[in-house]
């Protein structure tokens, strides 16, 4: 890590349970609508069912009207790029650091 970060498993667990479904829904939506990748291909790349992709696209799964906290828009865009290109990764720590400025020292 380039900056000190106070990692707390309970805080990270709470953030991830609350944010990851919404982030995944947004990422799937962007892959299909902005990157033009088919729903079947997104399903294969993410290792999730085609039905789950359909639910993300119809906003039946993971949809939340709240804005993303912190710098999560940037993390989502990095995730979209990583899945679209097959290069790069996003970690749970990336999500926590971006979503929870309280955890930063």
């Amino acid at each position: 890590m380039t900056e000190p970060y106070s990692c707390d498993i309970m805080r990270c667990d709470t953030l991830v349970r609350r944010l990851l479904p919404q982030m995944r829904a947004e990422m799937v939506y962007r892959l299909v609508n902005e990157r033009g990748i088919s729903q079947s291909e997104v399903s294969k790349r993410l290792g999730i069912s085609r039905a789950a992709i359909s639910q993300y696209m119809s906003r039946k799964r993971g949809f939340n009207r709240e804005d993303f906290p912190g710098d999560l828009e940037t993390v989502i865009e990095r995730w979209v790029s990583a899945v679209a290109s097959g290069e790069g990764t996003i970690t749970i720590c990336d999500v926590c650091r971006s979503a929870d400025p309280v955890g930063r020292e």
Side-chain angles (χ1 to χ4, degrees):
M1 282 185 256
T2 57
E3 65 183 60
Y5 183 77
S6 175
C7 186
D8 178 329
I9 190 70
M10 296 307 291
R11 183 170 40 223
C12 289
D13 182 66
T14 300
L15 282 170
V16 168
R17 286 176 190 264
R18 183 171 58 90
L19 296 173
L20 214 50
Q22 181 183 359
M23 290 175 66
R24 188 180 302 115
E26 182 63 23
M27 187 255 313
V28 166
Y29 186 84
R30 291 180 190 187
L31 284 167
V32 173
N33 287 322
E34 294 175 7
R35 301 291 177 110
I37 301 172
S38 73
Q39 291 185 26
S40 294
E41 182 62 25
V42 171
S43 170
K44 288 177 192 173
R45 291 184 189 193
L46 297 177
I48 58 178
S49 73
R50 174 66 178 75
I53 299 297
S54 179
Q55 289 177 344
Y56 286 130
M57 293 302 296
S58 65
R59 304 294 198 197
K60 292 179 183 175
R61 179 185 280 200
F63 181 67
N64 189 335
R65 293 202 162 129
E66 296 176 18
D67 290 333
F68 291 107
D71 296 327
L72 282 181
E73 285 290 340
T74 302
V75 172
I76 294 167
E77 193 52 41
R78 284 181 41 219
W79 195 5
V80 168
S81 294
V83 171
S85 70
E87 298 178 11
T89 60
I90 300 300
T91 68
I92 297 300
C93 290
D94 293 329
V95 173
C96 288
R97 277 193 303 264
S98 297
D100 187 16
V102 173
R104 297 179 186 174
E105 291 181 1

